[in-house]
């Protein structure tokens, strides 16, 4: 019964949201047609509210895909920001680069190509917001590489933390995904109990963790 209720709630929320801007709708359609994972529409709206409230000037993103979330961030902030995004998939980088140039965000968004595990070590400076949306079994590793780059009073956002419901309930876990699920659970336990973070886990989309860095 709860799954049916959850589906109705999700459908209701999505149906109340206003239409995306034209260029974002084009990207959403492309993602749907080509099975490219991008942030869920209700998550996108939540992030827009957070961006408008916090007005981050520097954003670090782990996982670029076709550039949808980066461009959503830049557009919401009226291009008054710098975004650095790390991506290892060459096809995604090629498509994201085309999209970013096509829609006029190339002055705001820089794609760093390569493994996040290696390239994050090379990124200097502090960030007002960090967005993690990459390999689900590596979130704690990414966290360890970026948390010192997040300014005090900055926001860490981790997307897809419920991993298709498997993190929340063993009855949904696929055998070959057990290690990823275990690692994600450990990550969520860590950020939820970390002394210098205040974290809220939000069950929209595929789950979002919002963490505020106190010091």
């Amino acid at each position: 019964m709860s799954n049916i209720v959850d589906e109705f709630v999700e459908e209701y929320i999505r149906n109340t949201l206003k239409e995306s801007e034209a260029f974002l709708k084009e990207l959403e359609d492309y993602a749907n047609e080509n099975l490219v994972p991008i942030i869920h529409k209700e998550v996108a709206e939540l992030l827009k509210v957070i961006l408008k409230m916090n007005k981050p000037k520097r954003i670090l993103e782990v996982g670029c895909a076709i550039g949808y979330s980066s461009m959503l961030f830049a557009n919401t902030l009226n291009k008054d920001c710098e975004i650095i995004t790390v991506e290892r998939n060459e096809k995604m980088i090629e498509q994201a680069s085309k999209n970013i140039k096509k829609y006029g965000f190339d002055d705001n968004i820089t794609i760093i190509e390569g493994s996040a595990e290696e390239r994050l070590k090379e990124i200097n400076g502090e960030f007002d917001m960090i967005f993690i949306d990459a390999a689900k079994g590596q979130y704690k590793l990414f966290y360890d590489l970026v948390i010192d780059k997040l300014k005090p009073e900055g926001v860490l956002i981790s997307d897809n933390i419920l991993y298709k419901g498997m993190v929340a309930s063993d009855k949904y876990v696929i055998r070959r995904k057990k290690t990823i699920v275990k690692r994600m659970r450990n990550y969520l336990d860590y950020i939820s109990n970390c002394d210098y973070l205040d974290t809220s886990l939000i069950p929209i989309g595929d789950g979002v963790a919002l963490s505020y860095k106190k010091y």
Side-chain angles (χ1 to χ4, degrees):
M1 178 64 71
S2 60
N3 287 341
I4 296 174
V5 172
D6 289 345
E7 289 175 9
F8 278 124
V9 170
E10 184 177 88
E11 182 179 1
Y12 171 76
I13 291 173
R14 290 184 179 178
N15 287 338
T16 62
L17 301 175
K18 56 189 174 186
E19 189 78 8
S20 300
E21 293 190 42
F23 84 94
L24 291 173
K25 184 65 167 59
E26 288 182 21
L27 292 171
E28 290 164 9
D29 291 342
Y30 176 90
N32 287 332
E33 292 167 8
N34 294 275
L35 303 178
V36 177
I38 61 173
I39 54 177
H40 292 243
K41 188 169 175 57
E42 59 272 28
V43 174
E45 293 301 316
L46 172 64
L47 295 181
K48 284 165 65 176
V49 172
I50 293 170
L51 289 162
K52 289 177 180 179
M53 292 173 63
N54 290 2
K55 297 179 174 58
K57 296 296 184 182
R58 290 193 87 215
I59 299 173
L60 175 60
E61 177 184 54
V62 185
C64 177
I66 59 173
Y68 178 85
S69 50
S70 291
M71 286 185 278
L72 175 82
F73 299 160
N75 186 65
T76 301
L77 295 167
N78 297 315
K79 299 185 178 181
D80 185 21
C81 61
E82 175 193 5
I83 300 170
I84 296 176
T85 181
V86 181
E87 176 61 54
R88 68 183 304 168
N89 186 303
E90 293 181 3
K91 290 184 178 180
M92 291 294 101
I93 292 168
E94 181 180 358
Q95 188 61 47
S97 298
K98 289 179 181 178
N99 291 335
I100 289 167
K101 184 174 183 179
K102 175 182 178 181
Y103 297 115
F105 293 101
D106 39 336
D107 288 338
N108 303 96
I109 302 171
T110 300
I111 301 175
I112 296 180
E113 182 175 354
S115 165
E117 183 177 356
E118 296 301 324
R119 302 311 301 270
L120 287 171
K121 298 173 185 176
E122 304 167 4
I123 297 173
N124 298 316
E126 291 186 310
F127 294 85
D128 306 295
M129 178 177 132
I130 295 177
F131 182 63
I132 300 178
D133 186 15
K136 304 302 171 282
Q138 302 299 323
Y139 272 32
K140 181 57 167 59
L141 172 63
F142 299 149
Y143 171 91
D144 289 338
L145 292 169
V146 303
I147 192 61
D148 287 342
K149 303 179 193 297
L150 183 63
K151 291 180 179 178
E153 301 184 358
V155 177
L156 170 70
I157 303 172
S158 309
D159 196 22
N160 296 321
I161 58 163
L162 296 180
Y163 197 38
K164 302 178 181 179
M166 289 186 281
V167 173
S169 175
D170 285 337
K171 70 180 180 180
Y172 297 122
V173 177
I174 301 170
R175 178 171 296 180
R176 67 178 185 275
K177 303 292 186 181
K178 282 186 175 180
T179 298
I180 295 174
V181 169
K182 181 179 179 180
R183 288 180 178 179
M184 181 63 83
R185 288 174 177 171
N186 289 340
Y187 170 69
L188 295 178
D189 183 65
Y190 182 86
I191 62 173
S192 296
N193 292 282
C194 180
D195 289 341
Y196 55 83
L197 295 178
D198 284 332
T199 295
S200 176
L201 308 183
I202 306 173
I204 63 171
D206 196 20
V208 181
L210 299 181
S211 301
Y212 171 83
K213 187 177 181 182
K214 295 186 282 188
Y215 54 86

